[in-house]
Amino acid sequence: MATCLKGKGNAISDTTPLAMARRGQEMFRAQEDRLGRAQRDDVPDVAPPAKEGELPMIYAPTLTPEEARPYLNREIKAALDDLECGRDFYPAYLPRQAAIDEQVNDRFGM
C-alpha cells in the first residue's frame, strides 16, 4: 500500500499497518488545525502535546467555499488513492484490528 501511495505522489513517513490505516485522517486533521491556528492570534502555532486521556484541541479554520475547494480536491484525491492502493490492505487489516480490539476490551473491560 505504501509503495502504491508513494507512486501516486503521496508522502509516507510510517509504513506500519496502524499508521497506514490512520494516515489520511491524521494528515487532514493536522492540516485543518494548522490553518485554524494561522487565523488566530491567541493560540500557539504548534499544539502542545495532549495529556494522557485528553483529546488534543483542534482549531477549525473559517474558509469561504472558494478557499476550501483546493483542500477538498486534495482530500478527495487522497481518499481515492487510499481506496485504490488499500484494496488488498484493508480487507486483511480491518478484521485483525477488530479482533485485537475485542481481545483488549474483553481483557481490560474497555
Side-chain angles (χ1 to χ4, degrees):
M1 181 174 173
T3 302
C4 177
L5 288 167
K6 285 178 185 179
K8 293 184 174 295
N10 294 281
I12 307 295
S13 59
D14 187 351
T15 60
T16 62
L18 183 61
M20 294 302 297
R22 292 182 175 173
R23 81 171 190 78
Q25 177 184 7
E26 289 178 357
M27 178 176 60
F28 289 107
R29 181 172 288 140
Q31 178 183 48
E32 175 186 15
D33 186 52
R34 279 192 308 274
L35 289 169
R37 286 174 184 277
Q39 290 180 342
R40 298 188 55 157
D41 294 329
D42 62 333
V43 297
D45 290 341
V46 177
K51 294 177 183 165
E52 188 173 331
E54 288 183 354
L55 294 174
M57 181 65 156
I58 303 292
Y59 291 90
T62 302
L63 302 172
T64 66
E66 295 79 26
E67 292 170 327
R69 176 87 42 215
Y71 298 104
L72 174 63
N73 290 339
R74 283 194 291 270
E75 190 167 346
I76 290 169
K77 181 194 177 306
L80 292 173
D81 289 350
D82 189 72
L83 283 172
E84 182 180 338
C85 295
R87 87 178 118 219
D88 294 328
F89 170 76
Y90 288 110
Y93 173 78
L94 292 174
R96 291 177 183 164
Q97 178 194 16
I100 290 168
D101 289 346
E102 185 176 338
Q103 287 176 353
V104 169
N105 289 339
D106 289 347
R107 184 164 181 184
F108 298 105
M110 298 180 109

